[in-house]
Structure formats: structure tokens, C-alpha cells
Amino acid sequence: MTRPAKDFFAPLAVGAPAPPREIPARPSRAIHFFDPGNEKMAAKVPDMVGTVDVLLGNLEDAVKAENKEKSRQGLVDIGRATDFGPTQFWTRINSLDSPWVLDDLTTLVPEIGDKLDVIMVPKVQGAEDIHYVDRLLAQLEAKAGLDRPILVHAILETARGVANIEEICAASPRMQGLSLGPADLAADRRMKTTRVGGGHPGYLVRQDPVRDDLGVPQYDAQRTSYQQDLWHYTIARMVDACAMHGIYPYYGPFGDIKDTVACEDQFRNAFLLGCVGAWSLHPVQITIANKVFSPSVEDVAHARRVIAAMGDGTGAVMIDGKMEDDASVKQCQVMVALADELAAIDPELKEQYDAISADGEVRA
Ligand SMILES: CC(C)(COP(=O)(O)OP(=O)(O)OC[C@H]1O[C@@H](n2cnc3c(N)ncnc32)[C@H](O)[C@@H]1OP(=O)(O)O)[C@@H](O)C(=O)NCCC(=O)NCCSC(=O)C[C@](C)(O)C(=O)O
Ligand SMILES: [Mg+2]
């Protein structure tokens, strides 16, 4: 059973900061993963501040078992030494059934809890996992004297997690968002892919066979086929669950680092469906995510034009042969609100968006 409404926003430990009533829409187009125990990667982190929306020190998968403590300590060192300015600082802790997670939390909260914005919890199965982390964080925050609650992000990477998606989003006022974990999820579902996210050439639909003059189907003749998106169903569920709960959905990792074209396509599908960002595993993917998850100048110009033409936002008008009304103006408001949020942290985008007048004219 969920907590009654009057208790939902009460701190879960005496002296812990009050949980948030709203999750701020902070830009997070790329959640950039680095291994804090890898000296070469860690050395690059200070210079990445300001170039990426989120820097995430990863402690879970992709960190070898023998390096878990080194990575945790590396994260503490980076957290203490770095001024993150406008960039958010997140971590992915080890899974709740691992031998490392308790030390992750009991070390990170007192050492760098004042710097950490969000803790990503992998392999979340249901509300019980979030409840566990929620209470423990409250106890640790109280003990450390923190005045700001650390937010929680869940990765969906089991069938049970997907089935329990709504209760996971609703489990705590700390819930900030969800990410897709396509590799673990594929394994858990017994999907027959061996990739980390992205498409698969075998998952397709094919045009019907053309027929000859006698109406006989020509099965061997050339037919167009279209690759489909293996992740559409899960992302769409995430988007609805997150929107309903006032939190944020993210596409997860795209493992084929060299295929920047397909990565951009996968990220754009997620953007169009309602995701606010994706993970970047390699610096090259930051550029892709920043581009894809920022509305284009054309889209912002069109949105401003519709908003200007719609006046008080009611009724119907024709713009370039298309009907716009109370509903389409709301879509335009979503686009403009995102552009405003991004302009506030990205000077290059600000310049581009500032060149668009309030009624949608793009100045040269
Ligand atoms: C893919 C890898 C091995 C290629 O690493 P590389 O060294 O072969 O690449 P490179 O192109 O040769 O690197 C060029 C330079 O960039 C640096 N570099 C390279 N990557 C980064 C980075 N991320 N951040 C900062 N710097 C980075 C690298 O150290 C090197 O520095 P150098 O010029 O000084 O020699 C490497 O990029 C990497 O380890 N990335 C992170 C992988 C990761 O975090 N995986 C876990 C998330 S995905 C996941 O867990 C799945 C999920 C959700 O759980 C589920 O679906 O179930
Ligand atoms: Mg995983």
C-alpha cells in the first residue's frame, strides 16, 4: 500500500530534508557516463563541466568487480574537487542485490551528498526497491546534516520493472525519472539480441509480394522492408508513466559508438516520443544528444508563430494550409518552454533562439 497523502511528503528520518513537491525541469539532454576509477576518463571530467548537462560517475556494470572500491573513491575525489557549476552531478550505484551498494550509499552521502543531484538505481523491480533507497537516503542525509534531498532515478532493465512501472514512478517524491536499460532488459526478457540498445536488421516488416498479371504472388521479387524499433513499446510506456507522475523519461545507452548516424536516429525517436535526454557512453555521443534533444530553430519559429497567431489560445486558425487550435498551441508551448530552459544554460542555443521574433520570424 502506498503512503497516505498527508504523509507522502514527510521526511522519512528525523532531521532529513523535506522531499521535493515538484521535480525541476533541469536540462539533461546527455547523461554522460564515466568510470571514476579510470584515470584517463576521470582526468577529463573537470574540463567537461559546462559542455554537458549531466556528468554521471558510474559504479555499476562496466566497472570490474576488482575496481569497485577504486571507482567509488575516485567518485568521492572528483565530487570533492570539482565545481560543477551549471552541470548536474549524478552517480549510478551498484544494484541493490550486490555486495557493494550499501558501501556506495553509506560512503557517497556523507562524503559528497551535498554535491550529488541524482542517484541512479539500476535493475529496479518494483516500489519496494525505491522504498528501501528512500528510507536509507533519508537516514544518511539526516546524519550528514544535508539540507537538500538527493533525487532518485530508476533504470528499467527487467520485465518486472517494466510491469511495475507506474508504482515505481509513484514510490517516492524523490523520483526524478526513468531510463531504459536495453541490454539487461533484453536478457531478462529473453529477447534474441546481443546489442546494447539500438535497432536490429531482423526486426522488420516487409511489403506484401507484388502479383503478376494473373494475380499470382511473386514471393521472390524485390520487396521493400522497413526496420522497426525494438524499444518503441517500452519507451512509450516510460513516457506515459513519467508524464503522469511529473518526472522525466530518458532513452538509455546506444552501444555502437562508431555508428553515430543510427545513434542520432534512436535518440531522435526518443525525443519525438517525449524523452528529455539519453545517455552518452563516449564523448562523441554528447554532441549527438545535445543536438537531438534541443528543438530546431525551425520548430521553435513555427511554435512561436502559432502561439502569436492563436492570441488567447482558443479557437482555430489556418497557418501555411494547416489548422491550428487550442490543442496544437499547447504542443507549441511545450516546444517553446523547452527552448527557453535550454537557452538559459546554452549560450549558443540562446543566440539561435534569440534570432526568432515573438511571432516566429527568423532574423538573418
Ligand atoms: C566504450 C569505451 C570502452 C570506449 O573507450 P575507448 O578508450 O576504446 O575509446 P576511445 O575512442 O579510444 O577514447 C578516446 C579518448 O576518450 C576517452 N573516453 C572514452 N570514453 C570516455 C568517457 N565515457 N568519458 C570521458 N572520456 C572518455 C578515452 O579515455 C580516450 O582518452 P585519451 O585520448 O586520453 O586516450 C568507453 O568509452 C567507455 O568505457 N565508456 C563508458 C561505458 C559505460 O559506462 N558503460 C555502462 C553504461 S551502459 C550499461 O550499463 C547498459 C545498461 C543500461 O545497464 C543496460 O542496458 O542494461
Ligand atoms: Mg544494465
Side-chain angles (χ1 to χ4, degrees), residues 141-193:
E141 286 167 346
K143 193 170 169 204
L146 298 185
D147 52 16
R148 183 187 60 131
I150 299 169
L151 303 182
V152 170
H153 180 109
I155 317 179
L156 288 185
E157 32 192 1
T158 64
R160 194 169 128 200
V162 177
N164 289 334
I165 190 165
E166 276 89 7
E167 68 167 47
I168 291 170
C169 293
S172 161
R174 287 181 199 271
M175 280 300 299
Q176 179 275 343
L178 297 178
S179 283
L180 173 73
D184 271 300
L185 183 56
D188 191 64
R189 281 177 173 162
R190 279 169 270 157
M191 290 166 70
K192 305 302 180 294
T193 70

Tab-separated table of all heavy atoms in Angstrom, residues 141-193:
chain	number	residue	atom	x	y	z
A	141	GLU	N	21.083	11.272	4.939
A	141	GLU	CA	21.043	12.734	4.782
A	141	GLU	C	20.930	13.411	6.153
A	141	GLU	O	21.591	14.426	6.412
A	141	GLU	CB	19.841	13.145	3.922
A	141	GLU	CG	20.000	12.839	2.436
A	141	GLU	CD	18.691	12.949	1.662
A	141	GLU	OE1	17.604	13.006	2.289
A	141	GLU	OE2	18.739	12.957	0.424
A	142	ALA	N	20.076	12.838	7.023
A	142	ALA	CA	19.905	13.415	8.358
A	142	ALA	C	21.233	13.361	9.111
A	142	ALA	O	21.673	14.346	9.718
A	142	ALA	CB	18.821	12.658	9.120
A	143	LYS	N	21.892	12.211	9.040
A	143	LYS	CA	23.155	12.029	9.759
A	143	LYS	C	24.226	12.990	9.234
A	143	LYS	O	25.031	13.537	9.991
A	143	LYS	CB	23.617	10.584	9.591
A	143	LYS	CG	24.717	10.162	10.517
A	143	LYS	CD	24.953	8.669	10.445
A	143	LYS	CE	26.229	8.343	11.192
A	143	LYS	NZ	26.830	7.106	10.740
A	144	ALA	N	24.209	13.207	7.919
A	144	ALA	CA	25.220	14.079	7.307
A	144	ALA	C	24.842	15.559	7.409
A	144	ALA	O	25.616	16.423	7.012
A	144	ALA	CB	25.411	13.700	5.841
A	145	GLY	N	23.640	15.837	7.887
A	145	GLY	CA	23.212	17.233	8.023
A	145	GLY	C	22.957	17.913	6.683
A	145	GLY	O	23.146	19.129	6.548
A	146	LEU	N	22.539	17.157	5.686
A	146	LEU	CA	22.283	17.766	4.365
A	146	LEU	C	20.992	18.569	4.405
A	146	LEU	O	20.037	18.202	5.107
A	146	LEU	CB	22.174	16.679	3.285
A	146	LEU	CG	23.427	15.825	3.066
A	146	LEU	CD1	23.209	14.873	1.886
A	146	LEU	CD2	24.647	16.695	2.797
A	147	ASP	N	20.978	19.662	3.635
A	147	ASP	CA	19.743	20.461	3.648
A	147	ASP	C	18.957	20.333	2.343
A	147	ASP	O	17.959	21.006	2.149
A	147	ASP	CB	20.053	21.936	3.948
A	147	ASP	CG	21.112	22.490	3.032
A	147	ASP	OD1	21.379	21.849	1.994
A	147	ASP	OD2	21.681	23.554	3.350
A	148	ARG	N	19.420	19.448	1.455
A	148	ARG	CA	18.748	19.292	0.159
A	148	ARG	C	18.617	17.796	-0.126
A	148	ARG	O	19.608	17.058	-0.016
A	148	ARG	CB	19.633	19.949	-0.900
A	148	ARG	CG	19.124	19.987	-2.286
A	148	ARG	CD	20.224	20.525	-3.207
A	148	ARG	NE	21.405	19.665	-3.161
A	148	ARG	CZ	22.042	19.193	-4.250
A	148	ARG	NH1	21.650	19.517	-5.441
A	148	ARG	NH2	23.100	18.419	-4.122
A	149	PRO	N	17.415	17.321	-0.465
A	149	PRO	CA	17.276	15.869	-0.691
A	149	PRO	C	17.918	15.446	-2.015
A	149	PRO	O	17.845	16.185	-3.009
A	149	PRO	CB	15.763	15.658	-0.743
A	149	PRO	CG	15.201	16.967	-1.175
A	149	PRO	CD	16.134	18.035	-0.672
A	150	ILE	N	18.542	14.282	-2.014
A	150	ILE	CA	19.109	13.727	-3.250
A	150	ILE	C	17.966	13.027	-3.992
A	150	ILE	O	17.168	12.301	-3.374
A	150	ILE	CB	20.239	12.728	-2.916
A	150	ILE	CG1	21.362	13.445	-2.159
A	150	ILE	CG2	20.771	12.061	-4.175
A	150	ILE	CD1	22.404	12.511	-1.550
A	151	LEU	N	17.877	13.252	-5.300
A	151	LEU	CA	16.797	12.644	-6.083
A	151	LEU	C	17.188	11.240	-6.532
A	151	LEU	O	18.371	10.878	-6.518
A	151	LEU	CB	16.451	13.523	-7.279
A	151	LEU	CG	16.045	14.961	-6.934
A	151	LEU	CD1	15.674	15.742	-8.198
A	151	LEU	CD2	14.889	14.988	-5.935
A	152	VAL	N	16.174	10.471	-6.937
A	152	VAL	CA	16.390	9.064	-7.320
A	152	VAL	C	15.874	8.836	-8.735
A	152	VAL	O	14.780	9.300	-9.090
A	152	VAL	CB	15.670	8.121	-6.325
A	152	VAL	CG1	15.672	6.682	-6.836
A	152	VAL	CG2	16.322	8.194	-4.950
A	153	HIS	N	16.680	8.125	-9.521
A	153	HIS	CA	16.339	7.802	-10.905
A	153	HIS	C	16.399	6.277	-11.024
A	153	HIS	O	17.359	5.662	-10.551
A	153	HIS	CB	17.384	8.480	-11.807
A	153	HIS	CG	17.206	8.271	-13.264
A	153	HIS	ND1	16.803	9.279	-14.111
A	153	HIS	CD2	17.406	7.183	-14.043
A	153	HIS	CE1	16.751	8.823	-15.352
A	153	HIS	NE2	17.118	7.547	-15.327
A	154	ALA	N	15.391	5.669	-11.638
A	154	ALA	CA	15.364	4.203	-11.738
A	154	ALA	C	15.649	3.769	-13.166
A	154	ALA	O	15.144	4.375	-14.114
A	154	ALA	CB	13.996	3.674	-11.316
A	155	ILE	N	16.463	2.711	-13.310
A	155	ILE	CA	16.657	2.138	-14.654
A	155	ILE	C	15.716	0.944	-14.783
A	155	ILE	O	15.646	0.092	-13.894
A	155	ILE	CB	18.102	1.669	-14.903
A	155	ILE	CG1	19.120	2.686	-14.383
A	155	ILE	CG2	18.316	1.424	-16.386
A	155	ILE	CD1	20.566	2.247	-14.599
A	156	LEU	N	15.003	0.920	-15.910
A	156	LEU	CA	14.098	-0.193	-16.206
A	156	LEU	C	14.886	-1.222	-16.985
A	156	LEU	O	15.214	-1.004	-18.148
A	156	LEU	CB	12.931	0.281	-17.065
A	156	LEU	CG	11.883	1.136	-16.393
A	156	LEU	CD1	10.760	1.388	-17.372
A	156	LEU	CD2	11.353	0.488	-15.120
A	157	GLU	N	15.216	-2.328	-16.347
A	157	GLU	CA	16.012	-3.324	-17.063
A	157	GLU	C	15.606	-4.750	-16.718
A	157	GLU	O	16.375	-5.679	-16.918
A	157	GLU	CB	17.515	-3.098	-16.901
A	157	GLU	CG	17.988	-2.514	-15.612
A	157	GLU	CD	19.451	-2.058	-15.688
A	157	GLU	OE1	20.107	-2.169	-16.734
A	157	GLU	OE2	19.949	-1.612	-14.650
A	158	THR	N	14.386	-4.884	-16.204
A	158	THR	CA	13.822	-6.225	-16.028
A	158	THR	C	12.352	-6.165	-16.449
A	158	THR	O	11.718	-5.110	-16.404
A	158	THR	CB	13.865	-6.685	-14.556
A	158	THR	OG1	13.039	-5.813	-13.779
A	158	THR	CG2	15.275	-6.690	-13.992
A	159	ALA	N	11.837	-7.339	-16.832
A	159	ALA	CA	10.421	-7.398	-17.208
A	159	ALA	C	9.560	-6.963	-16.019
A	159	ALA	O	8.557	-6.258	-16.183
A	159	ALA	CB	10.062	-8.822	-17.635
A	160	ARG	N	9.968	-7.367	-14.817
A	160	ARG	CA	9.184	-6.991	-13.638
A	160	ARG	C	9.192	-5.473	-13.436
A	160	ARG	O	8.169	-4.886	-13.096
A	160	ARG	CB	9.753	-7.707	-12.402
A	160	ARG	CG	8.842	-7.673	-11.212
A	160	ARG	CD	9.363	-8.630	-10.159
A	160	ARG	NE	9.490	-7.965	-8.872
A	160	ARG	CZ	10.250	-8.389	-7.878
A	160	ARG	NH1	10.966	-9.490	-8.018
A	160	ARG	NH2	10.291	-7.739	-6.750
A	161	GLY	N	10.323	-4.877	-13.657
A	161	GLY	CA	10.407	-3.416	-13.551
A	161	GLY	C	9.454	-2.742	-14.528
A	161	GLY	O	8.764	-1.782	-14.178
A	162	VAL	N	9.424	-3.235	-15.760
A	162	VAL	CA	8.525	-2.627	-16.747
A	162	VAL	C	7.067	-2.852	-16.333
A	162	VAL	O	6.234	-1.940	-16.406
A	162	VAL	CB	8.797	-3.182	-18.164
A	162	VAL	CG1	7.799	-2.601	-19.168
A	162	VAL	CG2	10.224	-2.859	-18.608
A	163	ALA	N	6.770	-4.062	-15.878
A	163	ALA	CA	5.381	-4.357	-15.466
A	163	ALA	C	4.960	-3.474	-14.288
A	163	ALA	O	3.786	-3.118	-14.160
A	163	ALA	CB	5.243	-5.836	-15.109
A	164	ASN	N	5.915	-3.105	-13.439
A	164	ASN	CA	5.605	-2.300	-12.244
A	164	ASN	C	5.903	-0.819	-12.442
A	164	ASN	O	6.087	-0.072	-11.465
A	164	ASN	CB	6.424	-2.812	-11.047
A	164	ASN	CG	5.935	-4.163	-10.571
A	164	ASN	OD1	4.773	-4.499	-10.761
A	164	ASN	ND2	6.814	-4.944	-9.971
A	165	ILE	N	5.925	-0.384	-13.678
A	165	ILE	CA	6.443	0.963	-13.975
A	165	ILE	C	5.694	2.063	-13.227
A	165	ILE	O	6.307	2.973	-12.676
A	165	ILE	CB	6.455	1.190	-15.509
A	165	ILE	CG1	7.192	2.453	-15.884
A	165	ILE	CG2	5.069	1.208	-16.094
A	165	ILE	CD1	7.533	2.517	-17.378
A	166	GLU	N	4.384	1.978	-13.167
A	166	GLU	CA	3.637	3.072	-12.517
A	166	GLU	C	3.948	3.135	-11.021
A	166	GLU	O	4.140	4.207	-10.461
A	166	GLU	CB	2.125	2.933	-12.735
A	166	GLU	CG	1.632	3.517	-14.048
A	166	GLU	CD	1.660	2.513	-15.179
A	166	GLU	OE1	1.943	1.321	-14.886
A	166	GLU	OE2	1.426	2.894	-16.331
A	167	GLU	N	3.994	1.967	-10.367
A	167	GLU	CA	4.253	2.001	-8.913
A	167	GLU	C	5.678	2.465	-8.619
A	167	GLU	O	5.931	3.075	-7.581
A	167	GLU	CB	3.963	0.633	-8.252
A	167	GLU	CG	4.918	-0.470	-8.645
A	167	GLU	CD	4.803	-1.703	-7.746
A	167	GLU	OE1	3.677	-2.140	-7.501
A	167	GLU	OE2	5.867	-2.216	-7.314
A	168	ILE	N	6.608	2.210	-9.541
A	168	ILE	CA	7.983	2.693	-9.347
A	168	ILE	C	7.993	4.224	-9.399
A	168	ILE	O	8.557	4.891	-8.529
A	168	ILE	CB	8.932	2.087	-10.410
A	168	ILE	CG1	9.109	0.588	-10.159
A	168	ILE	CG2	10.286	2.806	-10.414
A	168	ILE	CD1	9.818	-0.159	-11.279
A	169	CYS	N	7.324	4.782	-10.401
A	169	CYS	CA	7.290	6.256	-10.531
A	169	CYS	C	6.629	6.901	-9.312
A	169	CYS	O	7.000	8.007	-8.916
A	169	CYS	CB	6.518	6.661	-11.779
A	169	CYS	SG	7.325	6.208	-13.306
A	170	ALA	N	5.638	6.213	-8.745
A	170	ALA	CA	4.844	6.790	-7.656
A	170	ALA	C	5.421	6.500	-6.282
A	170	ALA	O	4.874	6.939	-5.271
A	170	ALA	CB	3.411	6.242	-7.718
A	171	ALA	N	6.558	5.772	-6.222
A	171	ALA	CA	7.001	5.227	-4.941
A	171	ALA	C	7.540	6.269	-3.969
A	171	ALA	O	7.525	6.071	-2.758
A	171	ALA	CB	8.053	4.145	-5.175
A	172	SER	N	8.033	7.397	-4.489
A	172	SER	CA	8.644	8.388	-3.594
A	172	SER	C	8.623	9.762	-4.262
A	172	SER	O	8.803	9.859	-5.482
A	172	SER	CB	10.101	7.999	-3.310
A	172	SER	OG	10.819	9.119	-2.827
A	173	PRO	N	8.484	10.825	-3.459
A	173	PRO	CA	8.588	12.170	-4.046
A	173	PRO	C	9.993	12.474	-4.554
A	173	PRO	O	10.201	13.459	-5.245
A	173	PRO	CB	8.213	13.106	-2.889
A	173	PRO	CG	8.195	12.291	-1.656
A	173	PRO	CD	8.137	10.842	-2.030
A	174	ARG	N	10.963	11.626	-4.198
A	174	ARG	CA	12.326	11.807	-4.723
A	174	ARG	C	12.457	11.365	-6.169
A	174	ARG	O	13.482	11.618	-6.797
A	174	ARG	CB	13.317	10.904	-3.968
A	174	ARG	CG	13.652	11.286	-2.607
A	174	ARG	CD	14.664	10.246	-2.122
A	174	ARG	NE	14.737	10.260	-0.695
A	174	ARG	CZ	15.567	11.044	-0.007
A	174	ARG	NH1	16.394	11.843	-0.627
A	174	ARG	NH2	15.575	11.005	1.305
A	175	MET	N	11.494	10.610	-6.695
A	175	MET	CA	11.668	10.043	-8.043
A	175	MET	C	11.834	11.154	-9.071
A	175	MET	O	10.979	12.017	-9.211
A	175	MET	CB	10.475	9.156	-8.408
A	175	MET	CG	10.534	7.764	-7.795
A	175	MET	SD	11.994	6.813	-8.297
A	175	MET	CE	11.767	6.709	-10.060
A	176	GLN	N	12.966	11.126	-9.765
A	176	GLN	CA	13.292	12.167	-10.753
A	176	GLN	C	12.993	11.699	-12.162
A	176	GLN	O	12.642	12.499	-13.023
A	176	GLN	CB	14.785	12.519	-10.617
A	176	GLN	CG	15.305	13.573	-11.572
A	176	GLN	CD	15.731	13.011	-12.930
A	176	GLN	OE1	15.930	11.812	-13.089
A	176	GLN	NE2	15.861	13.885	-13.916
A	177	GLY	N	13.174	10.382	-12.438
A	177	GLY	CA	12.968	9.927	-13.806
A	177	GLY	C	13.284	8.456	-13.975
A	177	GLY	O	13.623	7.748	-13.017
A	178	LEU	N	13.150	8.021	-15.233
A	178	LEU	CA	13.405	6.631	-15.612
A	178	LEU	C	14.302	6.603	-16.839
A	178	LEU	O	14.174	7.456	-17.719
A	178	LEU	CB	12.108	5.923	-16.027
A	178	LEU	CG	10.976	5.741	-15.030
A	178	LEU	CD1	9.808	5.052	-15.745
A	178	LEU	CD2	11.434	4.907	-13.839
A	179	SER	N	15.176	5.598	-16.896
A	179	SER	CA	15.931	5.333	-18.127
A	179	SER	C	15.682	3.905	-18.569
A	179	SER	O	15.449	3.011	-17.740
A	179	SER	CB	17.438	5.480	-17.899
A	179	SER	OG	17.829	6.826	-17.841
A	180	LEU	N	15.791	3.716	-19.874
A	180	LEU	CA	15.727	2.373	-20.447
A	180	LEU	C	17.089	1.700	-20.283
A	180	LEU	O	18.115	2.308	-20.601
A	180	LEU	CB	15.397	2.498	-21.942
A	180	LEU	CG	15.447	1.212	-22.761
A	180	LEU	CD1	14.253	0.321	-22.441
A	180	LEU	CD2	15.474	1.531	-24.253
A	181	GLY	N	17.089	0.462	-19.810
A	181	GLY	CA	18.327	-0.342	-19.747
A	181	GLY	C	18.217	-1.486	-20.733
A	181	GLY	O	17.888	-2.617	-20.357
A	182	PRO	N	18.483	-1.225	-22.019
A	182	PRO	CA	18.113	-2.191	-23.054
A	182	PRO	C	18.888	-3.511	-23.002
A	182	PRO	O	18.354	-4.542	-23.428
A	182	PRO	CB	18.387	-1.445	-24.365
A	182	PRO	CG	19.391	-0.400	-24.010
A	182	PRO	CD	19.090	-0.014	-22.598
A	183	ALA	N	20.120	-3.498	-22.491
A	183	ALA	CA	20.906	-4.738	-22.516
A	183	ALA	C	20.400	-5.716	-21.454
A	183	ALA	O	20.055	-6.865	-21.755
A	183	ALA	CB	22.381	-4.422	-22.314
A	184	ASP	N	20.319	-5.248	-20.214
A	184	ASP	CA	19.793	-6.144	-19.175
A	184	ASP	C	18.339	-6.512	-19.449
A	184	ASP	O	17.920	-7.642	-19.186
A	184	ASP	CB	19.907	-5.475	-17.793
A	184	ASP	CG	21.245	-5.772	-17.141
A	184	ASP	OD1	21.544	-6.955	-16.926
A	184	ASP	OD2	21.993	-4.826	-16.864
A	185	LEU	N	17.570	-5.543	-19.965
A	185	LEU	CA	16.153	-5.813	-20.225
A	185	LEU	C	16.002	-6.886	-21.301
A	185	LEU	O	15.179	-7.805	-21.167
A	185	LEU	CB	15.441	-4.524	-20.643
A	185	LEU	CG	13.941	-4.624	-20.887
A	185	LEU	CD1	13.198	-5.167	-19.676
A	185	LEU	CD2	13.367	-3.250	-21.268
A	186	ALA	N	16.832	-6.803	-22.343
A	186	ALA	CA	16.774	-7.808	-23.410
A	186	ALA	C	17.092	-9.190	-22.837
A	186	ALA	O	16.424	-10.178	-23.149
A	186	ALA	CB	17.749	-7.441	-24.523
A	187	ALA	N	18.103	-9.259	-21.976
A	187	ALA	CA	18.482	-10.549	-21.393
A	187	ALA	C	17.353	-11.081	-20.511
A	187	ALA	O	16.969	-12.252	-20.598
A	187	ALA	CB	19.763	-10.390	-20.577
A	188	ASP	N	16.790	-10.208	-19.693
A	188	ASP	CA	15.752	-10.640	-18.755
A	188	ASP	C	14.496	-11.105	-19.497
A	188	ASP	O	13.840	-12.059	-19.084
A	188	ASP	CB	15.422	-9.483	-17.807
A	188	ASP	CG	14.556	-9.933	-16.646
A	188	ASP	OD1	15.045	-10.764	-15.847
A	188	ASP	OD2	13.399	-9.487	-16.541
A	189	ARG	N	14.192	-10.399	-20.592
A	189	ARG	CA	13.010	-10.777	-21.380
A	189	ARG	C	13.270	-11.956	-22.311
A	189	ARG	O	12.371	-12.384	-23.002
A	189	ARG	CB	12.615	-9.606	-22.278
A	189	ARG	CG	11.866	-8.494	-21.631
A	189	ARG	CD	11.648	-7.427	-22.694
A	189	ARG	NE	10.788	-6.376	-22.216
A	189	ARG	CZ	10.714	-5.168	-22.811
A	189	ARG	NH1	11.462	-4.917	-23.876
A	189	ARG	NH2	9.907	-4.262	-22.352
A	190	ARG	N	14.494	-12.384	-22.390
A	190	ARG	CA	14.927	-13.401	-23.354
A	190	ARG	C	14.685	-12.951	-24.791
A	190	ARG	O	14.302	-13.734	-25.654
A	190	ARG	CB	14.285	-14.756	-23.067
A	190	ARG	CG	15.028	-15.493	-21.955
A	190	ARG	CD	14.288	-16.684	-21.456
A	190	ARG	NE	13.431	-16.250	-20.358
A	190	ARG	CZ	12.352	-16.851	-19.925
A	190	ARG	NH1	11.945	-17.933	-20.494
A	190	ARG	NH2	11.653	-16.405	-18.920
A	191	MET	N	14.885	-11.650	-25.034
A	191	MET	CA	14.910	-11.153	-26.407
A	191	MET	C	16.165	-11.731	-27.056
A	191	MET	O	17.144	-12.008	-26.374
A	191	MET	CB	14.987	-9.617	-26.418
A	191	MET	CG	13.722	-8.934	-25.945
A	191	MET	SD	13.967	-7.165	-25.589
A	191	MET	CE	14.222	-6.475	-27.223
A	192	LYS	N	16.147	-11.914	-28.374
A	192	LYS	CA	17.299	-12.553	-29.017
A	192	LYS	C	18.174	-11.519	-29.713
A	192	LYS	O	18.431	-11.585	-30.902
A	192	LYS	CB	16.821	-13.627	-29.999
A	192	LYS	CG	15.903	-14.672	-29.376
A	192	LYS	CD	16.548	-15.396	-28.197
A	192	LYS	CE	15.610	-16.437	-27.602
A	192	LYS	NZ	14.397	-15.881	-26.960
A	193	THR	N	18.595	-10.525	-28.939
A	193	THR	CA	19.544	-9.548	-29.463
A	193	THR	C	20.794	-9.613	-28.593
A	193	THR	O	20.727	-10.045	-27.446
A	193	THR	CB	19.006	-8.110	-29.384
A	193	THR	OG1	18.975	-7.715	-28.016
A	193	THR	CG2	17.617	-7.988	-29.967
